[in-house]
Amino acid sequence: MTQEELKTPFTPNWCPGCGNLNIWAAFKNAAVQEGWDNTNTALVAGIGCHGHILNFVKLTSFEGLHGRALPVASGIKMANNRLNVFAHVGDGDCLGEGGNHFVHSARRNHDITVLLHDNTLYALTTGQTSPATERGMKTKSTPAGNPDDPVYPLAWAIASGATFVARAYSGHMDKLMNLIIEANNHKGFALIDILQPCVTFNKVCTHAMYQQNTYYLGDDYDPTNKKEAFMKAYEFGEKKIPLGIFYREEKPTLEEGYVQIAEKPLIDNEPKLEGLTDLFKKYT
Ligand SMILES: Cc1ncc(C[n+]2csc(CCOP(=O)(O)OP(=O)(O)O)c2C)c(N)n1
C-alpha cells in the first residue's frame, strides 16, 4: 500500500507534539516499505490516546476493551498465523489493566509485535498515574507525588519469557521504523517500549528530557545475554536511558507448537459441522 492508500477519512486529533504522531508516521512508513496490507496484516489496540491510531491507518483492525489488546492479538494470530499482527497498547492499558495478559502472552511466546506507547501516565483520562509513572512524580491523581515504584516493562518482559525486547524513542522516527520491522520479522513475542512524551500532561518525560538522556546500546552489547539484558532493563536515569535491542532469543513460538496450525492456518480448514449441529439445536 502507498501512504495515500493507508489514509483514512480522519485526521489525527492527538495534541501537537504528541509522540503518537511520530509512532503513527514510523508505523506507516514501515507498512509501505514492507508491503503490509489488508491481506497480510492485522492491528489491535487497547483503549487510550494510543488506541486512536487505528482510526488513522487503513488496515484491518480491532479495538478491544481496555487492557485486552493482547488476548485479541494472540487469538487473531492463532486463527491465521500467516498474518503480521501488531498490538498498539498504552502503558496504563498494557501494564495496568492488561498486566496479566502481558505476562502470559510473553511467556507463551505468541508471534505478535507489541508496540507500547509509553507516556508514563493515563493520557486519555487526562493525566493520572499509570504503573509506569516514576516514584515522586506529580500527576492529577497524585498531586503530592506518586508514592509507588514503577514497573520496568523491559525487565518484566524478559522475566516473563519475551524473545525480542527493545526500547525506542518516538522522536527518532527512522530508528523506530527499522525497529518495528525487525520486531515483526522476529519469530515470537516482540515488545518495543516506545518512550513517547505526552506534551499535555507529562511535564517530566519530555522530548528534551529524552533527547538529553537517551543513548543507543553499542556494538559491544550482547543482546543474547539474558542476565545482562535484565540488568540493562533496570538502567533508567540521568544520561542513562538505553535504547535499542536489549534481548533476543530464538525459541519456538506458541503457534509453531500447535499441530492443528502447523501445516495451514486454522481459517483454511473446512469447518466440521457434525456434532455441532446437535449442539446448536440444543440451544435454539
Ligand atoms: C476497564 C476500564 N477501566 C477504565 C477505563 C477508562 N480509561 C479509558 S482510557 C484510560 C487510560 C488510558 O491510558 P493508557 O493506557 O496509558 O493510554 P494513553 O491514553 O496514555 O495512550 C482509562 C483509565 C476504561 N475505558 N475501561
Side-chain angles (χ1 to χ4, degrees):
M1 286 175 97
T2 61
Q3 291 285 352
E4 204 49 38
E5 288 166 335
L6 283 174
K7 272 193 185 158
T8 69
F10 310 108
T11 308
N13 56 352
W14 293 304
C15 307
C18 173
N20 280 320
L21 288 157
N22 300 58
I23 301 173
W24 172 61
F27 185 80
K28 283 193 304 166
N29 290 347
V32 171
Q33 187 166 313
E34 293 295 286
W36 299 333
D37 60 27
N38 286 315
T39 66
N40 59 27
T41 300
L43 314 184
V44 182
I47 304 292
C49 293
H50 64 277
H52 296 334
I53 196 167
L54 302 186
N55 299 317
F56 314 133
V57 185
K58 206 170 180 184
L59 287 171
T60 305
S61 57
F62 185 99
E63 187 163 17
L65 296 174
H66 195 28
R68 312 297 175 222
L70 298 190
V72 175
S74 313
I76 292 173
K77 187 72 190 188
M78 293 203 62
N80 185 356
N81 54 345
R82 269 197 301 252
L83 294 176
N84 306 300
V85 179
F86 295 92
H88 289 271
V89 296
D91 47 284
D93 177 75
C94 176
L95 306 173
E97 283 81 355
N100 184 36
H101 299 305
F102 180 66
V103 170
H104 294 289
S105 307
R107 176 180 66 80
R108 303 180 86 197
N109 202 27
H110 279 288
D111 187 14
I112 59 176
T113 299
V114 180
L115 303 173
L116 174 56
H117 297 223
D118 188 354
N119 53 16
T120 87
L121 43 68
Y122 285 119
L124 188 69
T125 43
T126 70
Q128 298 80 9
T129 57
S130 85
T133 309
E134 68 181 61
R135 180 185 271 275
M137 193 168 124
K138 291 185 176 157
T139 70
K140 192 169 274 183
S141 58
T142 54
N146 178 21
D148 288 341
D149 279 328
V151 296
Y152 288 73
L154 302 185
W156 206 12
I158 296 166
S160 303
T163 50
F164 183 103
V165 178
R167 188 191 281 131
Y169 159 54
S170 62
H172 297 166
M173 253 174 52
D174 282 351
K175 288 205 164 64
L176 173 58
M177 179 194 79
N178 290 331
L179 207 51
I180 293 173
I181 293 171
E182 215 169 333
N184 179 58
N185 288 338
H186 171 77
K187 287 261 149 282
F189 185 92
L191 167 74
I192 308 179
D193 177 28
I194 308 171
L195 303 177
Q196 179 233 313
C198 169
V199 292
T200 303
F201 297 110
N202 195 329
K203 303 300 178 197
V204 177
C205 301
T206 59
H207 283 288
M209 191 283 257
Y210 286 135
Q211 282 162 18
Q212 283 156 20
N213 293 298
T214 50
Y215 75 94
Y216 282 91
L217 295 169
D219 291 340
D220 56 339
Y221 177 78
D222 174 13
T224 63
N225 183 331
K226 196 167 196 168
K227 229 186 211 171
E228 202 180 321
F230 197 67
M231 300 306 290
K232 231 352 146 199
Y234 277 100
E235 189 181 301
F236 201 97
E238 211 178 314
K239 306 275 175 223
K240 276 178 94 173
I241 305 178
L243 301 175
I245 301 172
F246 284 57
Y247 184 62
R248 69 192 316 169
E249 176 189 348
E250 300 303 321
K251 202 166 91 174
T253 66
L254 182 85
E255 291 75 21
E256 284 167 342
Y258 272 93
V259 289
Q260 295 90 331
I261 55 177
E263 280 178 15
K264 57 180 175 178
L266 211 52
I267 54 149
D268 286 352
N269 288 305
E270 287 296 317
K272 292 205 177 77
L273 292 178
E274 59 301 348
L276 277 183
T277 322
D278 287 344
L279 188 69
F280 288 153
K281 262 195 214 135
K282 209 168 139 191
Y283 292 98
T284 48

